[in-house]
Amino acid sequence: MSSQTSRGAPGADRPLAGILHMVGAAFALSGIDVLAKFAVTGIPVVQMLALRSAFVMLVLLPYFMRAGGLALFRTGQARLHLARLVFMIFSILGFFHALSLLPLAMVVALGFSTPIFVTALSRPMLGERVDGARWAAVLFGFAGTIVVVDPTMDGFSAIALLPLLSAMGWAMVQLLARKLTRTDSDATILVYLNTGLVVAVGALAPLAWVDIEAAAVGVCFLLGVLMVAAQWLLLRALRLAPLDTVTPFQYLELPLAVA
């Protein structure tokens, strides 16, 4: 693992590379949105998340072993990793519960308040300057998503607050990831988050476990593979460029998911 991959490199931002990685993450996340919409119609949300998290760890395990194994847990930023895990659990539970109750396009669109939270908090949390042009890009993108969903449509209700709260949690996940890239390796950031998710959702899964068909297990496996891709691409994007540079490209997830 190179030193650049292992540690953040202040002043070494590569905006184009960061944007391309974020576009790749948007493709992976849109696939997760669609597959999850099918999965939650027949599998309890917590069970689906437990299976997905288990498959994520299965796919990542060889990488973790090559990158250092248990030594990956050595960090001076344990509190930040724990905070990121808590925000991640908050975000995914809110998102997938909303997905089981609301149309896919509405959930994804309302979830795109994330770049607004990220842009607003980039300076106080990370010290990254956000200029007017990037604020305009974020707000223009969010306005476009609101036009797509039309919040006056039938079925819009208080439950729509769930994806908004989830978006706030997802923003904190990204902000903390950007902060952690300054001190920790990709492997350490990934192992803390995914180990925590396996433990947390695995503990909850028996409360709602049901028998499912092999096809549903296959969908959960695909979700796990896509989640690995999304996490890695997003983490690389956040390491390569400032948040306000890459977050507007998350809006690609909406047209991809709708398509």
Side-chain angles (χ1 to χ4, degrees):
M1 184 179 294
S2 69
S3 59
Q4 182 179 1
T5 301
S6 300
R7 295 288 183 268
D13 288 330
R14 297 164 55 196
L16 180 58
I19 288 168
L20 291 175
H21 279 81
M22 183 59 80
V23 170
F27 271 90
L29 289 168
S30 66
I32 291 171
D33 294 338
V34 174
L35 282 175
K37 180 63 178 177
F38 284 107
V40 296
T41 59
I43 310 174
V45 170
V46 174
Q47 181 178 358
M48 184 269 292
L49 291 174
L51 289 170
R52 188 189 75 171
S53 297
F55 285 128
V56 166
M57 286 297 288
L58 183 64
V59 172
L60 284 174
L61 190 58
Y63 168 59
F64 290 150
M65 296 303 293
R66 289 197 306 271
L70 293 177
L72 293 175
F73 288 98
R74 295 173 187 166
T75 177
Q77 304 291 346
R79 290 184 179 180
L80 288 183
H81 285 290
L82 178 59
R84 187 166 181 257
L85 172 63
V86 170
F87 280 115
M88 186 68 168
I89 292 171
F90 175 82
S91 177
I92 59 177
L93 288 178
F95 179 82
F96 285 114
H97 187 58
L99 203 60
S100 67
L101 300 172
L102 296 169
L104 174 63
M106 179 182 287
V107 175
V108 174
L110 292 175
F112 277 128
S113 55
T114 291
I116 295 177
F117 293 123
V118 168
T119 303
L121 293 172
S122 288
R123 189 173 183 85
M125 286 189 63
L126 303 172
E128 295 181 351
R129 181 176 174 274
V130 183
D131 58 31
R134 286 169 180 169
W135 259 113
V138 167
L139 294 175
F140 180 78
F142 183 64
T145 64
I146 293 301
V147 169
V148 170
V149 278
D150 183 8
T152 63
M153 70 169 71
D154 292 340
F156 189 89
S157 64
I159 200 68
L161 292 175
L162 267 179
L164 289 174
L165 292 172
S166 173
M168 182 173 64
W170 181 233
M172 290 301 298
V173 169
Q174 294 181 50
L175 287 158
L176 290 171
R178 172 69 172 175
K179 195 175 186 72
L180 285 165
T181 59
R182 298 172 177 174
T183 57
D184 288 1
S185 69
D186 291 350
T188 291
I189 296 171
L190 289 171
V191 78
Y192 263 93
L193 179 65
N194 289 293
T195 301
L197 285 174
V198 165
V199 172
V201 296
L204 294 173
L207 301 176
W209 198 269
V210 298
D211 292 332
I212 58 175
E213 296 179 357
V217 176
V219 170
C220 291
F221 175 75
L222 289 176
L223 282 168
V225 172
L226 285 172
M227 194 66 204
V228 170
Q231 285 189 43
W232 186 82
L233 288 165
L234 181 63
L235 187 56
R236 295 304 301 157
L238 298 178
R239 189 181 291 279
L240 290 164
L243 272 166
D244 66 292
T245 298
V246 297
T247 50
F249 291 88
Q250 292 183 37
Y251 288 121
L252 289 172
E253 188 182 341
L254 177 63
L256 290 171
V258 172

